[in-house]
Every structure is written in C-alpha cells, then in structure tokens.
Amino acid sequence: MTPLLQVEGLSKFYGTHLGCGDVNFTLWPGEVMGIVGESGSGKSTLLNCLAGHMAPDTGRVIFDTRTDGPRDTVTMTEPERRWLARTDWAFVHQNPRDGLRMNVSAGGNVGDRLMAVGARHYGDIRREAGDWLERVEIDPTRIDDRPRAFSGGMQQRLQIARNLVTGPRLVFMDEPTGGLDVSVQARLLDLLRGLVRRLGLSAVIVTHDLAVVRLLADRLMVMKDGCVVEQGLTDQVLDDPQHAYTQLLVSSVLQV
Amino acid sequence: MTEYNFAYLDEATKRMLRRAILKAVAIPGYQVPFSSREMPMPYGWGTGGVQVTAACLLPEDTLKVIDQGADDTTNAVSIRKFFARVAGVATTEATATASVIQTRHRIPETPLTEGQILVFQVPIPEPLRFLEPRETETRTMHALEDYGLMQVRLYEDIAKHGEIARAYAYPVRVEGRYIMDPSPIPKFDNPKLDNSPALQLFGAGRECRIYALPPYTRVESLDFDDYPFTASKAAGQVCAICGAEDSYLDEVITDDAGGRMFVCSDTDYCATRVAAQAEDAA
C-alpha cells in the first residue's frame, strides 16, 4: 500500500524565526492524524504548508494523486495544486467565515466546489447540495438561506458539507471545534467521527483540545516551538506521555 | 484642423493604444492594461471607447456613434461631433455604410460585415469584480481558468428568481477560455457577439483595460444544462413605429396615467424600415 501523504524534512521559517522545523510523518489511507501543541507552536504553519496555502522553505510533501500516483505538491504547478484543493483535498477552517462564502446561499456554498470542477446541471447540483445538508444535520428547507442566518454550529457543519461534497480523500482541519460551546462541540465531533469513519477519509486535525484528538485521531503528534517533540498512537501518547511538555499538556486538562 | 493631431491623440499615444489593441486581438477576451489618458469628457461618458476609436480611425473612415442604440442621444451626438471636428472624418447614422462604429449598451440590429470595427464603451471590464473584490485574485482566477465562482452567481440567480435574472452585461466565454464581460449590452445582443464578421474592440477608460474579439470568434453565454441561455427582450411586443418583431425594444412612458409604448432601441434600424415601408406604399 502507498501512503496517502508523506512528509519529509518539512521546514518553514518566518525570516530567521522558525515556523516549524524538520517535520517527518507518513499518513496512510483512512488514518486520522492529530497535531496538538500550544499557541505559536507551529501547528497551523505546518497545516498550511501541507495544504499548499504556504510554500515551505525545505522538504517534500508527497501526495498520492488519483491519476499520477505519488507527486510532490511543493513543486507542483499552481493550477495542479488548486485542482487538488478542489477535488482530493478539503480544508476546514476554525472560523466558518473563512471557509464559507457569506453572501451566497447554503446551497450555493455546497455547490461551489461541484461547479468549480465542472458541474453544469442545476438540478443535479441542487439535489446533491440538499443531500449533503441532510447528512450534516441541517434542515434541507434552509437551502436558500445565507450562512449569516445560521448559528455558529450550523455554519461549521455547512463548511464541512461544502468541503466533503466532491468526495475528497484528505481533509485538513484547523481547530474545527474552536469557538463552539461544549454541547455543540460534542454534536459536531460525533458527526465528524461518523463521516470520517463512514467515508474512510484520511484527515490531519490541528487542535489544542486533547478531547478532540482522543475521539477522532488514530495517531498523535505533539509540537512545541516549531518542532515535533513526540509522536505515536493517540492512546499511547495520552496515557503514557514521555516528553516533559506532553506530560504537562496532559496534566493540564481540566477534570470535571 | 491644424490645432490638433489627427483624431486628437498624439501619434505616440495612438501607438501605445494600438499595441494594446493588437495584444488584445491576439488573446481574445484577455484584458490588456493600457495607460488611459485624460480625454475632454468625463469618465463614464466613454473615454475608453473614444481612445480606442481614435487609435483605429483613418482619414477615409466613416464613423457612426450610438448610445443605447440611438444616434441622437447626448452621448452619441457629442462623441460624433468630437471626431468630426478633431479628425475631420465623415460621419453617418447608417450602420451599413459605417466603417467604425462606437457604441454604448447596444450592438446594431443590422448585421455587421467584414472590415467593420465595433468599439464598445466599457464601465467595468472585470466580470468577476463583484464576486471577488481583490484584483490580484481575479487575475489569478483568469490565468488559472478558475471560474467556478461565476457559475455560483448564476446558481444563486436561479435559486432566488427561478431563472438566470441577469438581463445585461451577461458573462460570456470566449473561445472556451477567458470569461469576458461584454459591457452592459442587453443579453438579447449576446448571440450577435458570436462568430461576428466584424472586429469588436472593448475600451474601459477609467479602468485602463482594452479587450477584443477578433472576427469569427466563438463566444458562448454561460448557462446551466437544464437552464439554457435565452436572448430575451420585451415579451409579445412589436415596435410601435415600424412594427419590427425581431429588434430590441425600449419601453417609453408616454404620460403619467400608465400610458406606454415600445419602440426599437436601434433608431437607424427603425428609420430604415419606416422609409422602406413608405416606399412600398408609394
């Protein structure tokens, strides 16, 4: 089996300041990888480099494309990278406002990616959009409402529907549950877990919430000051943390 | 006229304009930047079209200028007089005898022929302007043919109004490549853009852009498979003056009691038909 994503020696500097340094990992099809760490530890920098939003300074990000097999996305041309971003990849932003078109209806938001890859049949696009709204537990009668009229949790679910509609194989999530209250978070996590398992998606999830990775991630990577300090199976890392920072992180979780 | 260079602009400026026009013709639908000049009329009156016309005019040309299809509106009269004065070219109101036609908001009803040049005045050349505010991003989108967003806009129209509600400046795709704003012509005129034997040039003065459709260029109006493009006009009406059924009509309010009439927006087309009818009757 070829790995879906293979990252080798990835580094990104902001001037002389290290964004993230020498990251290596392999993601297999159907696997969910969690990245945790404190604010400023380079999680989001890493995710943006993986998703092609930012060019890393060194290293390779090899993605197993459907047509041409493993390709280095860093040296790909921009049109190829954008095509991947519209088809095989999905990116869920922390703030749904960054990932949605706020002045376009829910149906238009979901149909956006379909139309971007060439769908030109209104009826089909609309049916697909209604379908996906139902799958993320949004009432399909609200298909023509703008995202502004939705609650925060609904906006986040709409963003997920919009991303998954083209059947991506790899989903990047940047704090998908940040900014939501706990009961909405629980529902969203439940939904995400269901979708990831049912569709057999691979995902890279950046978060500072250990509960999220415990629920969703198979493997875990802990970052501090731009470097990976520990990685392994999620339960292993959380139950038996080896690095001092991971121990601190695990012990800082509030128990209710 | 000796006070001005022929056609108002100096030769170096016309050379710059012609270079932009040549590039635009070479890449149909692509917006070519040019250094737009101050013209002796306000922006919005067709400064872009006037500059393109000035660069195209030859002393032996015959110029026709129309505004909303009419030869006798302020804008058309002013520009026609301007060129009659600074270039000394012959002017006409007849579409068939003109070699250069500058237009605002319409394409003449009389089919254009090879060798004619149609110059459009364009207020906003960027079809993606109100969908994506960043100019750097829209240029990237054009370069990468990333046009899903335009389709989203048409989707929104159907979701909201049950049909593609855009009636003018209806976006077109040129030779299967660039998406282009055909300037604010009614969508009724869109089919006339396609495979036209005339050279069509578009000038946007304030925005400093020139784009072009060379003769016999494929121009398709965007649509959905199940909501095809229709070149619509006032339904079930005929011109009250000449009785034409196939021309684009203006609705004219005649009193304050709801009285109205529909007349051809192309005044030359209407007058020609009326003259022919009078001849037949005589």
Side-chain angles (χ1 to χ4, degrees), chain A residues 9-23 40-43 45-46 57-58 223-228:
Chain A
L10 187 94
S11 299
K12 170 78 189 170
F13 288 87
Y14 296 108
T16 55
H17 177 77
L18 179 70
C20 63
D22 196 29
V23 179
S41 61
K43 309 184 297 274
T45 301
L46 174 60
D57 293 316
T58 60
M223 291 188 74
K224 179 161 172 41
D225 300 329
C227 296
V228 177

Side-chain angles (χ1 to χ4, degrees), chain A residues 33-37 43 46 50 204-207 213 220-221 223:
Chain A
M33 168 83 126
I35 303 174
V36 294
K43 309 184 297 274
L46 174 60
L50 297 181
V204 179
I205 301 178
V206 160
T207 181
V213 290
L220 188 59
M221 209 156 81
M223 291 188 74

